[in-house]
Amino acid sequence: MFIALPLPDFRQRRLRAPARHLLCATSALVGALAFAPVAATAQALAPAVGEGTPQSEAGRSISEALTGDIVVNGRRDRSALSEERSAIGVTDIVTTGDVAINSQTNVTDLARRLPGVSVARDQGRNQSATGEAQFATIRGFDTGFNAYTLDGLRLPQTAGSSRAISLNLFSPFAIGGLAVDKTPGAAKDADAIAGIIDLRTPTAFDFSTSFTRARVLAQGADLAIDREQQGWGGAIGLDAARRFGADHQFGLYVAGYYEERANAAESTAVQNDYKTTRFGVGTARANADALSADGVQWNFYNNAIKRYGATGAFDVRTEPLDLYARVNYATYRNTNTMNQTALRNEVTTGQTNPNPNRAGNRSYNAEGLYTPYGINPASYFRTEDIEQELFSAQIGARAHWNGFTAALEGAYADGRFDQPRRIEAAFRGISYIGTPGQTGTAREGLTVDLSDPKSPRPVLSPGAVGYVGSLDRPSQLYVQQGYDYLTETKKTLRGSIGWDGTAILRRLEVGGLYEDSDRTGRTLASDATRFRFQTPLQAGPFAGPTVNQYLGYVLKDFLDYYPPRAIKVLSRNQLDSQAAQFSAQVPVPAATINQGLLDGNETRKAIYASATLEAGTFEIMPGIRYEDNAYSARFWQGQDATARFVNGGRRYDHLDPSLLAAWRPNEHWVVRGAVRSSYARPAFDQLAGPTRRSSENGGTQVTITEPNPDLKPVEAWSYDLGLEYYGGVGRYAQIAVYHKDLSNILVPTGTRSFAQGSQQAGGQTIILVRPANGRGGKATGIEASGRFTLGDMVGSPMLEGLGIGGNVTWQHTEATYQIAANDIRTSRLPQAPDLIYNAELFYAAGPVRANLWYNRTSRILTTVQDSQPDIYLQPVGELNFGLAFAATDHLELGVSARNLLDQHALWATVGEGERYIAPDRAGGYMKTGRVFQFSLTMTM
C-alpha cells in the first residue's frame, strides 16, 4: 500500500491557546505600564524612596537601582554573590539582563562566563552556523548528565530526541539569571550527575524600585554584510515591575520581547571519510598518520533567526503565607539554508578506472597508493529550518507558622521541536577524467592538498579547472524533503513540609514529587520523497536546471581560499516551490510513514528527607532521595512483512544519599564539601523507537539497529571540596576540587553502539546493533575564580572602577566503553574539555561602564567512531567588548562587539591533532564572523 501525502508545514501552526492569551495579556499590561503617565504610575504603584525600600538604596536613580548591583565599581550582582556565599553547596550564578554591554542575546552564550560551564551545538542541523551556542553543560559533561529547570521545575523537550534541552530560545530580555548548582542536595533532582542549570524568571522583589523599562538594540553581522547577504537585525524588550499594597506585599513583573537577526557562515571540509594512503594496511583508525582525503567541499550558510516571548510573575509575600505564579512563553525560529560546492572523487557512466580491481576496490594504483580517478563537480542545497516553542505555567504557596513550613506547587509545561520542511537538492553529472568527451579510461583524478590543516585544497590540471568551474554543468540530480516533529507535555506536582529548630537541628524537611510526561513524535527521512530528474546518471521524467539557471547570487569571496567551482547562493523561494511541486507528490509507503511515529509516556516519582545541622560555624546537610522512573512507548518495529507497532516499557528506581557541609569561620571565609550519589537516565530514543535497517557491500551485510528498553541508568558518586574568600565589595576568590566515579557508562555522543552479535541468513551477514551499558569512567578537576577591583585593593583614586576577573577549570576525564565485542577502549569522556577559562578586564566609574571578556575552551572529543579515528573539536576562543554610557538617569547607550578577533566558531578534526580536517557533517572548519551591536536602555 502506498499513500501520497503532502508534507505538513507546521510553520502555519497556531499558537496554543494559553500562549496566545499570555502574549495578548502581557502585551496589554506592558503597554499600559510603559505608556501611562509616569507621575500617575509612580503615585499609584511605586513606593517612595525610603518606604519599603532598603535604606542603602535611597537617593539612587532608577538606572542605578537596576544596573548598579551588577557593574558599579566592577561588582558582580551583590544578591547573586550573597546567595552563593550563603548556600551550603557549590553554586554559581550569572545575571543575564544587561544587554547594554553584552552582544549575546541568548542566555546560553552568557552561561559561559560561569566557572566550568561549556557550550555545544547540534552540528547535524547546522546550528553551529548561527554563531550562537545551543546547549550549556556543567564541567563539559554530556548534556544528558545535566538537569535543566525553569524556576526549579524540569523543562520539556525542545531540541529533538535526546534529553538535552536547547536553551537558545531563552532571551536575557525575559530571564533574570542563570544558576548552576554543582552539588544539588536531596531536595533537588537526583538524575543530575553534573548538576542542575536553573533559569530564573525575574520578580518584582528582585528590584529595589518599581520601574518601566524599554530596551532596543540593533545588530550587524560583518561576515554576512561583507558577502552581500542579509546581516542586519534588532530586538526590542519591554518590562515593568511594581510593588504595591499597604506593606508592599504584592509584586508584579511582566516582560515581552521580539528579536530578528540574520547572519552568515562559511566552512570547508573533506567530502567523505578518510582513506588509508596505502592499500591493505588495515583501518584508517589503525593508520591515523597516513591518510588521504576523498573529495573536498565548501559550504555557505544563511540564517534568519526570530526569537520572541513573554514572561509574567506575580507574588504575594506576607508573614504567614507566600503565594506566587509564573508564566513563560518562548519561541525560537531559525530559517537556515546551506549552499555547497564540492569536488567528488568518482568515475561515472562511460568511464573506466585504470586501477587494478582489489576485491571491488579500485582506489589504489598498482603500487598500492591511494590514487582515485574522476573529478565530479557537484553542488548541493539543504535547509535545516528549526522551530522551538515552550509554554510553562506554575503556581505555588509557602506557609509558615510556629516554626513549621509547608510548600505546594503545581506546574504545566509544553515544549515543541519542529523541522517542518527539510529540503535537499543535489547537482551531479559526468566526472572530468581528462579524455576527449570525458569517456573511456580515466587519466586524471582529484588529489587533495592537506598542507594547510584549515583549508584542504584540490590539485587540478588546467583542463580540470575549466571543466569544474562552469556552473552550466551539471544539471540537477534530485529534490527531496522530509520533516521532524516532537512535542512533550510535562505535568509536575511537588510539595514539602519542614520544621525549623533553634538548637543543633536547625531544619528538618521531607517532600516529594510527581512528574508525568507525554511525548509524541513523527519523522520522515528526506530520501523517502526523492524526485529524480533526468541526467546522464539516471532516468527521470525530464531534465532539471543547472545551477546557472537558478536565481541567486554568486559569492565573490570565501574564507582565505576561493574554490575553483564558484559558490552560488540559490533562491530559497525557487527551491521551496520546486520541492512542493515535485517532491511532495512522491508516493510514500505507509510503512515508511509508520516507521517515524512514536508515542510515549514517562513518569518520575520522588520522595526525600533532609536535615540541616548547625554547630557554631559548621553547617551540615545530610539527605536521602528515592526516585522511581517508569516509561512506556508505542513505536514501529521490524522490517518487511513482520513490521508492526509494538508496545515497550520499563521501570527502574534509584536511591541517592548525599551529605553537604559548610564551615564559615568568619565573614570572609567559607569551606565547602559534598559527597553525593546521582544517576543519569538514558535518552528516550535509546529506550524506545523504530527499528532501522541498512545494507552494505551490495546487500551482503545488513545492519539492524534498534533501541534497548533494558538499559540501566549511568550511576555516579561525586566528591567536592571548596574554599572561598569574600573580601567585601568588588573582591572575592573561590577554588574547588572535584572527583566523579561513573559506572554503567554509555557513550552519549558516539555514533556507534555495541554490536550484540551477528548471524548468517540467506547468504547475508545480519548484524544486530543495540545501545548497551559499558564500563566505568571518572573525572577529576580543579576550578578557581575571582574578581577584584584594583582601586579598592590598592586605595588608588586613579584606579577607581578598574578591575579584573576570571575563572579557570582544569580536569582529567577517563571512560572505558565498548564499541564491539572485541573492541574495548579507554579514552576521555565525550564533550568534556580539559581546560575552560574566562578572563575579564572591566571598568565602571561615573556614567561609564566597559568590559573586555575572553573565553576559551580546549580540545573536545565529540564523536566516537569504529574504523575511523575519533572526531575532535579543536580549541576555540572568543573575545568580546562592551561599552555603556549613562547619558541621563533614565537613558543608557551601549555598544558592543562579539568575536573581535574573528576566530573560528568550530574546527573539527579527525584525530586529536590538527593534521586532518573533519568530513562533511562533523563540521570541518567554520567561521561566523564578528557581530556589532548598538543599544538604548530607557527606564522610568
Side-chain angles (χ1 to χ4, degrees):
M1 178 181 179
F2 288 80
I3 303 175
L5 292 176
L7 299 184
D9 187 350
F10 297 112
R11 283 175 292 183
Q12 304 303 318
R13 183 175 179 267
R14 291 174 60 84
L15 297 178
R16 298 179 177 89
R20 296 198 304 272
H21 297 161
L22 172 63
L23 283 174
C24 294
T26 304
S27 299
L29 186 52
V30 170
L33 291 173
F35 299 108
V38 177
T41 302
Q43 181 178 3
L45 298 176
V49 174
E51 293 183 32
T53 304
Q55 184 66 32
S56 62
E57 303 295 341
R60 300 178 66 193
S61 69
I62 293 178
S63 178
E64 289 173 330
L66 297 180
T67 64
D69 288 350
I70 302 172
V71 294
V72 170
N73 293 328
R75 305 165 191 165
R76 284 186 53 194
D77 184 339
R78 288 182 301 188
S79 62
L81 199 60
S82 175
E83 181 179 345
E84 290 183 16
R85 183 183 183 279
S86 61
I88 191 171
V90 180
T91 302
D92 297 301
I93 302 171
V94 63
T95 52
T96 61
D98 187 8
V99 299
I101 58 175
N102 294 314
S103 59
Q104 295 86 353
T105 53
N106 93 41
V107 300
T108 317
D109 284 307
L110 291 169
R112 287 188 293 181
R113 288 177 175 250
L114 293 173
V117 173
S118 62
V119 299
R121 304 162 183 86
D122 184 354
Q123 175 57 28
R125 292 187 169 97
N126 293 348
Q127 294 305 291
S128 294
T130 65
E132 294 185 343
Q134 190 176 6
F135 306 107
T137 178
I138 302 171
R139 292 167 174 164
F141 280 86
D142 187 85
T143 51
F145 291 174
N146 297 255
Y148 301 88
T149 59
L150 178 62
D151 296 319
L153 290 166
R154 292 295 281 269
L155 288 165
Q157 184 53 248
T158 59
S161 56
S162 73
R163 294 195 186 276
I165 300 295
S166 176
L167 302 181
N168 56 357
L169 79 168
F170 293 103
S171 167
F173 286 106
I175 297 297
L178 186 146
V180 173
D181 189 345
K182 298 173 181 175
T183 57
K188 297 183 179 180
D189 293 331
D191 61 325
I193 290 175
I196 298 174
I197 297 178
D198 184 44
L199 302 169
R200 295 181 173 180
T201 302
T203 75
F205 291 90
D206 296 334
F207 305 95
S208 57
T209 184
S210 294
F211 69 92
T212 298
R213 174 172 54 181
R215 290 172 285 184
V216 181
L217 60 88
Q219 278 193 351
D222 76 322
L223 175 62
I225 295 169
D226 184 67
R227 301 296 188 258
E228 300 184 37
Q229 303 294 300
Q230 291 184 355
W232 299 102
I236 183 171
L238 298 173
D239 65 339
R242 296 292 184 267
R243 296 269 299 277
F244 52 95
D247 298 315
H248 307 294
Q249 71 272 31
F250 298 100
L252 177 65
Y253 175 84
V254 291
Y257 62 93
Y258 183 88
E259 176 186 0
E260 285 194 20
R261 59 178 293 264
N263 84 303
E266 47 196 23
S267 73
T268 185
V270 294
Q271 182 69 39
N272 298 305
D273 285 342
Y274 281 90
K275 308 299 188 293
T276 57
T277 301
R278 300 196 66 88
F279 179 76
V281 293
T283 66
R285 186 179 185 88
N287 294 268
D289 59 348
L291 302 176
S292 296
D294 180 9
V296 62
Q297 62 177 228
W298 303 268
N299 305 304
F300 190 79
Y301 306 85
N302 296 88
N303 295 278
I305 292 173
K306 290 183 181 180
R307 188 184 283 113
Y308 55 88
T311 293
F314 179 71
D315 294 82
V316 180
R317 297 189 181 181
T318 66
E319 186 66 28
L321 183 67
D322 294 339
L323 301 173
Y324 59 93
R326 307 280 184 268
V327 182
N328 285 277
Y329 174 76
T331 289
Y332 169 86
R333 294 184 178 185
N334 177 24
T335 303
N336 170 276
T337 61
M338 184 190 80
N339 287 270
Q340 179 186 107
T341 279
L343 299 178
R344 303 168 65 98
N345 277 323
E346 57 192 9
V347 292
T348 53
T349 301
Q351 300 174 343
T352 303
N353 190 323
N355 285 330
N357 187 348
R358 303 171 185 269
N361 189 335
R362 306 193 73 141
S363 297
Y364 296 84
N365 65 17
E367 288 74 34
L369 293 176
Y370 182 70
T371 310
Y373 282 90
I375 308 168
N376 199 332
S379 293
Y380 176 67
F381 174 92
R382 183 173 75 234
T383 69
E384 295 284 2
D385 297 350
I386 298 292
E387 295 184 13
Q388 296 167 249
E389 184 181 36
L390 175 71
F391 171 77
S392 68
Q394 60 189 103
I395 186 170
R398 302 185 192 94
H400 325 267
W401 75 100
N402 294 330
F404 287 92
T405 61
L408 184 64
E409 183 176 62
Y412 171 86
D414 191 347
R416 175 176 67 94
F417 171 86
D418 189 4
Q419 279 196 280
R421 211 166 166 219
R422 186 176 187 274
I423 301 173
E424 296 174 86
F427 302 76
R428 293 235 303 280
I430 298 297
S431 294
Y432 176 84
I433 59 173
T435 63
Q438 310 310 321
T439 60
T441 301
R443 300 175 185 171
E444 294 186 32
L446 177 63
T447 301
V448 180
D449 179 1
L450 297 172
S451 58
D452 184 341
K454 300 178 182 178
S455 181
R457 302 181 182 185
V459 179
L460 303 172
S461 68
V465 170
Y467 187 88
V468 303
S470 173
L471 296 182
D472 287 319
R473 70 170 74 92
S475 61
Q476 189 168 353
L477 188 71
Y478 64 78
V479 63
Q480 60 190 35
Q481 60 178 330
Y483 58 79
D484 283 286
Y485 176 75
L486 176 70
T487 182
E488 183 178 15
T489 59
K490 192 179 291 288
K491 299 174 282 293
T492 306
L493 180 67
R494 63 178 182 175
S496 65
I497 298 176
W499 173 77
D500 293 319
T502 57
I504 293 179
L505 181 59
R506 289 302 177 95
R507 182 167 179 80
L508 185 65
E509 182 177 300
V510 296
L513 170 143
Y514 177 81
E515 181 183 273
D516 182 87
S517 301
D518 290 310
R519 179 183 293 235
T520 301
R522 53 181 176 267
T523 183
L524 180 66
S526 301
D527 54 9
T529 67
R530 179 170 293 184
F531 178 86
R532 302 177 186 272
F533 293 95
Q534 185 184 63
T535 74
L537 306 179
Q538 66 184 18
F542 50 82
T546 65
V547 171
N548 220 18
Q549 292 172 321
Y550 267 89
L551 300 174
Y553 173 80
V554 177
L555 295 176
K556 298 180 177 63
D557 199 5
F558 184 86
L559 286 174
D560 63 338
Y561 171 75
Y562 194 84
R565 177 173 173 81
I567 302 176
K568 186 171 184 178
V569 180
L570 304 184
S571 165
R572 171 69 183 260
N573 291 336
Q574 191 171 351
L575 280 153
D576 282 344
S577 176
Q578 187 190 76
Q581 182 179 0
F582 301 122
S583 178
Q585 307 308 315
V586 173
V588 179
T592 302
I593 297 291
N594 290 337
Q595 286 174 11
L597 300 180
L598 172 69
D599 289 304
N601 175 267
E602 190 171 29
T603 62
R604 185 166 62 101
K605 306 167 190 174
I607 56 173
Y608 72 88
S610 68
T612 302
L613 308 174
E614 288 188 12
T617 57
F618 289 90
E619 182 181 10
I620 301 175
M621 181 184 289
I624 190 164
R625 186 179 182 94
Y626 172 78
E627 293 195 358
D628 177 82
N629 298 272
Y631 76 91
S632 61
R634 180 177 180 266
F635 51 92
W636 190 260
Q637 190 176 71
Q639 298 288 319
D640 305 324
T642 62
R644 66 198 188 283
F645 281 109
V646 298
N647 294 308
R650 185 174 174 235
R651 184 172 183 172
Y652 56 92
D653 56 5
H654 213 260
L655 184 67
D656 294 290
S658 61
L659 178 65
L660 311 183
W663 175 43
R664 301 179 179 87
N666 55 49
E667 63 179 358
H668 296 298
W669 294 95
V670 181
V671 180
R672 304 185 195 279
V675 179
R676 65 186 184 96
S677 169
S678 58
Y679 71 106
R681 290 180 285 175
F684 198 88
D685 62 337
Q686 292 177 318
L687 297 168
T691 299
R692 294 179 174 87
R693 181 187 181 103
S694 62
S695 61
E696 300 176 20
N697 301 328
T700 60
Q701 178 176 299
V702 177
T703 301
I704 299 176
T705 305
E706 61 183 28
N708 183 359
D710 296 322
L711 282 177
K712 300 175 183 178
V714 182
E715 298 177 329
W717 276 95
S718 301
Y719 310 89
D720 291 77
L721 180 65
L723 175 65
E724 302 168 7
Y725 170 77
Y726 300 88
V729 174
R731 299 193 303 276
Y732 74 90
Q734 303 165 337
I735 188 169
V737 294
Y738 60 89
H739 177 80
K740 295 181 185 292
D741 285 318
L742 307 168
S743 59
N744 299 330
I745 197 167
L746 297 167
V747 187
T749 56
T751 58
R752 311 291 183 175
S753 299
F754 175 29
Q756 300 289 325
S758 62
Q759 57 183 334
Q760 296 292 323
Q764 293 180 323
T765 300
I766 309 297
I767 300 177
L768 176 64
V769 178
R770 306 176 78 194
N773 292 107
R775 309 302 177 90
K778 59 184 178 181
T780 303
I782 183 170
E783 288 180 346
S785 63
R787 192 172 176 91
F788 307 94
T789 304
L790 299 180
D792 292 342
M793 293 177 64
V794 300
S796 170
M798 295 181 60
L799 298 178
E800 181 182 2
L802 181 66
I804 57 175
N807 55 70
V808 60
T809 299
W810 175 89
Q811 67 180 357
H812 173 76
T813 66
E814 188 175 289
T816 301
Y817 45 86
Q818 199 156 6
I819 300 299
N822 59 350
D823 188 357
I824 299 174
R825 305 179 193 163
T826 297
S827 179
R828 65 171 68 184
L829 281 169
Q831 294 294 346
D834 291 337
L835 182 68
I836 309 168
Y837 70 84
N838 292 278
E840 183 179 9
L841 176 67
F842 57 84
Y843 176 81
V848 178
R849 303 187 289 127
N851 73 353
L852 188 66
W853 165 44
Y854 184 73
N855 170 271
R856 186 170 178 85
T857 303
S858 69
R859 184 172 52 233
I860 295 173
L861 168 64
T862 63
T863 305
V864 175
Q865 304 198 101
D866 50 7
S867 60
Q868 287 278 317
D870 296 337
I871 302 294
Y872 287 82
L873 291 185
Q874 294 300 317
V876 60
E878 185 176 277
L879 180 66
N880 305 315
F881 172 75
L883 174 66
F885 173 73
T888 71
D889 288 342
H890 300 280
L891 176 64
E892 185 175 57
L893 311 178
V895 293
S896 60
R898 183 175 183 183
N899 193 20
L900 273 174
L901 302 180
D902 195 23
Q903 292 186 275
H904 60 269
L906 180 144
W907 182 11
T909 60
V910 171
E912 288 191 73
E914 299 178 357
R915 183 174 180 179
Y916 297 112
I917 192 171
D920 197 8
R921 281 290 186 159
Y925 180 82
M926 176 183 290
K927 296 186 75 171
T928 57
R930 304 177 181 91
V931 176
F932 299 96
Q933 178 178 290
F934 173 76
S935 66
L936 294 173
T937 300
M938 297 160 283
T939 58
M940 48 187 166

